[in-house]
Amino acid sequence: MKKTLLLLFLLAVLVLPAQIPGYMGLKFGVKYECGLMHPIFVGRQGKLPMLYNNVSLEYVIGRAWTAGIKYGYMTYNAPPDKKVYNEDPYGNSVDYPTGRYEHKGRYNQHTIGVLFRKYVNGKGYLAPVGRYWTMGFYYQYAKNTIYTNLTDVENYSLKVYKGVSHLPGITLGMGRQYVIANRMLIDVGFNLNFTLYAVRHPVWYADRSAVFREVFGRNVFQVYLGLGALAF
Amino acid sequence: MRIALAFLLLCYTIPLAAQFEKNYIPVVSTGPLPADFVTLSSQKYEKERSNLSKTEQKNIKAAKEQFILESNFGLDKILLSGNTLYNDPFGTYVNRVADKLLQHDTALRHQVRFYVIKSSVVNAFTTPQGAIFVTMGLLAQLENEAQLAFILSHEMVHYTEKHAIEKYVEAAKLDNGKNAYKNRNLNEQILSQCAFSKEQEKEADEKGLQLFLKSGYSTEHLMGVYDVLKYSFLPFDDITYDKSFLENEGLKFPEQFMLKTTLAIDTRDKEEDEESSHPSIKFRRQKTADSIMGRNNAGKSDYLVGQKEFEQARESARFEVCRLYLKAHRYESTIYSSYLLSRKYPDNIFLKKLVATALVGLGEHATEYTYKDVTYDSDSVQGKAQALFHLLDEVHTIKGDLPIVALAYVCGLRKSNPGDAAIEALYEQAMWTVVKKANVSYSFFRDSLPVVDTSTKVIAVPVVKDTMNELAISKYDKLRAQESVDQVVTGSGKDSARYIQYALLPFMGASLKKDFDRWDTLIDEKQRISLEGEVRKHKYYYKDRVVALGINKIVVVDPYYARINSKQKNSAYRYLESEAGQVDFAERIRNTARIAKLDCEVLNSKNLKEGDVATMNDITLLEEYMNDRLWQAEDIDVPFLDQEKVAALAQKYGTSKFMLTGALSVTERSNFKAFLITLTTICPAILPFTLPEMANGDHTTLYFSVVFDVKTDEVNYATFRTIQNRTKGYVLNAHLYDVFNQLKTAKN
């Protein structure tokens, strides 16, 4: 495996410059991508699409191939989930004391990944221009904090849970990259992210499958619009 | 200009026989480019369109606008094709005839321009813009100057009466089923169109004759013009073919290869054809004869410019026609026409080279089993030319025989013209075909004539008096007798050698043996890029051959761009977009080459200036060369006739690499799109995958580049790419850069 990788690397380095034209000789692109994640399977965190931000670097390694790395950040404040506390199992609020409270959640997600793009030569495109397929893998670090506020008590906030998850996964996608004004890049596409596994802390709060389901659902479908430039 | 004038003067002063005795130099355009050539078609269109009446009916106006568009672009296509001559001896002569014809109508004389185009077809035609074209084929066939004047008169009436636009508007009405064409079926509509066209031709004949009669030309020999039209399918003369034309001391074709009689020329007049655009020649002849009957030709003449000038132009045109046949790969016609002229000019090297090239071409095709693709069915050829067509047909039946005939002819030519580069190239190719393709070695050939063996017993051919007698002899006896006769006829003697084995007899010796041995041991150096292969694998672009040629400078020859939209009802070819695209494409090539750090010169016919005659001539020569090279199939290789001239351009431009490149943007209806829409409606989840196809499925851009080395006469690089998208500037940039990068980068 090591030998194969080394051989591939050497081939990538040693190929004639004539074989890798890039776009008018430009092979290195820097991009900012703004994307929407639709939480298809998300429960209490709402059904609105969430916004994420990516910064990525892309380098042309072949007539059809580019390799790149990306860093993505996404944060999300869940809307208050209002609750009523009542000791009477039958809900008799006259005889039993009643309290109101709400859960608030904040979610942060950091993603780093390595992406390979194959531009569709068969349709007449040369990397990094035109239609492409994306494949890659990523690692996510997700942090979920839930606060409980007693509505009737001023400034009372109780942090009841702080969970951290480590989530590796793979990305598949497709899109199209345009060049305007010789250097500027516009990138439109979508990704399907498949989280493979979840490791969460602390282990006592929620079961693994619940975390997995939630993160998986949040990330599985992303559409994005990227803006960038070919640097050199 | 001075040189051209001096040449013209020389042409008119030297007697014909002396002038063509040794050589013929093909005519090229000279002097400043006429205004017709240097104005963009779109500008001509806009100018002419602005003169259209605004009060006209909407659909008539639309048809006229479309006509103006198509006719202007059509005219420029002819002018810039490289086949139209200007400021040349032929054009000068035709214009002088027009001067004589219109000396009383100076206004019309200023409106019309006359050009000669390099085509072997017998024809003349007019464009609505006043450019009248006469083909070289017509000049080669005419009998006298008056006939030319009559044809010019006829064409001028087409111009003055605006026949072309009337015909177009009528055709538009036919398409829409309006007016007279309402409620008519297609056949009736077509017949109506033909009748309309015939009326125009009759009018052109009548009014043309009136114009002609006003001039000083005589009608005495005018009627012959209809014979010129009637027999336009024949060569410019009909002379018995002498089989010794291709023979030498050793090579003697068997008598049975020669036809005893040739197919008689059909002299019957064709009857009126309802589906023809022209009245029958019989009718036209009669009408003209009636009109000129009893006219007094006193003081009139068949020649106003001059008989000598006419004969000079016609003879030159005949030489040009021989060359044009070769250019069109009509090899047999080349040989026969050259044979006709060789009767008068037996030492003319130009004709001999044409014959040699045609024979080498036929030899190549014969060895690749594509002979029938480039030749006529000799059985249907009319006239005495059939003897030659039949002879070549017979020779080609045994693989290798025709290349040997070609080699023998080239050897003879080489012997009498040592050191001629073009003949050397032909020799190399002929030798290659014989040795490598036909697998014939030096030992195959005989170096002495056969000794007549009188002791050979020849079985007498049984005399067949009647069918009963024929039945009495067995089939095998008849065949044995025939074999015996064939052996004697083909010069076999004891060794039973075939006639072809004596073909190189005059050239046998150490030098020829050395050449045979050299070719025999030579590894195939002609590793050309297979253009056909490149085209075949265009679907698998990623497997495209990638090269690093280390070229410093390239000359791009007349970059091509065309936009076709088959969804458009009126005209699929988008004229204005195509021209604008061509201008943009040329500029894009310059910019991209600059970024790729490749020195690039673009020869563009779309931005010519008055003084660019040399550039236009270079474009013409290079396009002729490139088209010839591209026409040749994978294994067919016939040296280009003007290879020396092409190679000289390498010196002029400082590089031997010349590129043919272009893009074709096509939009067409796609049923697949409807299928995708249906599929996506049923299953919306696949929208992200089907959307790109739905957006671009109807559009394709074809991009191609071919790089020729004019010194080595090789194709260095060829690519043909299909981009499944509408033509985007940045996608074209990417491909252009990729090609230039491959050309520029050197191997480490």
Side-chain angles (χ1 to χ4, degrees), chain A residues 44-81:
Chain A
R44 70 182 178 80
Q45 285 181 318
K47 298 206 182 299
L48 289 171
M50 293 174 285
L51 203 67
Y52 77 94
N53 304 282
N54 266 1
V55 177
S56 68
L57 306 174
E58 186 181 10
Y59 189 73
V60 180
I61 58 167
R63 292 174 68 78
W65 288 90
T66 64
I69 53 170
K70 70 166 184 182
Y71 165 74
Y73 175 70
M74 197 275 280
T75 185
Y76 184 82
N77 286 317
D81 185 11

Side-chain angles (χ1 to χ4, degrees), chain A residues 14 16-25 63 121-126 129-131 133 174 176-179 182 190 192 221, chain B residues 539 541-542 546-548 592 595 688-689 692-693 696 721-725 730-731 733-735 737-738 741-742 745-748:
Chain A
L14 292 175
L16 281 169
Q19 291 171 319
I20 308 175
Y23 177 74
M24 307 277 272
R63 292 174 68 78
N121 271 183
K123 301 271 182 194
Y125 299 112
L126 295 165
V129 166
R131 280 166 64 180
W133 296 95
M174 65 182 289
R176 182 171 177 144
Q177 191 146 270
Y178 302 84
V179 178
N182 284 334
F190 72 91
L192 297 172
F221 182 71
Chain B
K539 284 184 182 170
Y541 169 72
Y542 54 91
V546 180
V547 296
T592 313
I595 292 166
F689 300 96
E693 281 298 328
N696 297 312
R721 304 172 180 186
T722 306
I723 305 161
Q724 291 186 0
N725 200 343
Y730 69 93
V731 178
N733 284 349
H735 282 278
Y737 181 86
D738 176 41
N741 190 43
Q742 290 184 47
T745 312
K747 281 180 188 165
N748 292 323

Side-chain angles (χ1 to χ4, degrees), chain A residues 74-96:
Chain A
M74 197 275 280
T75 185
Y76 184 82
N77 286 317
D81 185 11
K82 296 185 188 301
K83 303 275 185 185
V84 177
Y85 172 76
N86 192 335
E87 285 184 349
D88 181 4
Y90 303 106
N92 188 339
S93 59
V94 178
D95 300 331
Y96 295 91

Side-chain angles (χ1 to χ4, degrees), chain A residues 103-124:
Chain A
H103 284 318
K104 274 189 173 178
R106 180 186 289 166
Y107 179 82
N108 291 319
Q109 178 181 291
H110 302 265
T111 308
I112 55 166
V114 177
L115 295 178
F116 295 94
R117 280 181 175 177
K118 186 184 185 311
Y119 287 78
V120 191
N121 271 183
K123 301 271 182 194

Side-chain angles (χ1 to χ4, degrees), chain B residues 137-165:
Chain B
L138 177 66
L139 288 178
Q141 301 260 10
L142 289 170
E143 288 179 307
N144 55 52
E145 194 180 299
Q147 291 177 355
L148 174 63
F150 178 67
I151 288 169
L152 297 183
S153 309
H154 174 98
E155 294 305 325
M156 276 189 282
V157 175
H158 279 315
Y159 167 71
T160 54
E161 299 301 315
K162 299 186 183 345
H163 280 165
I165 194 162

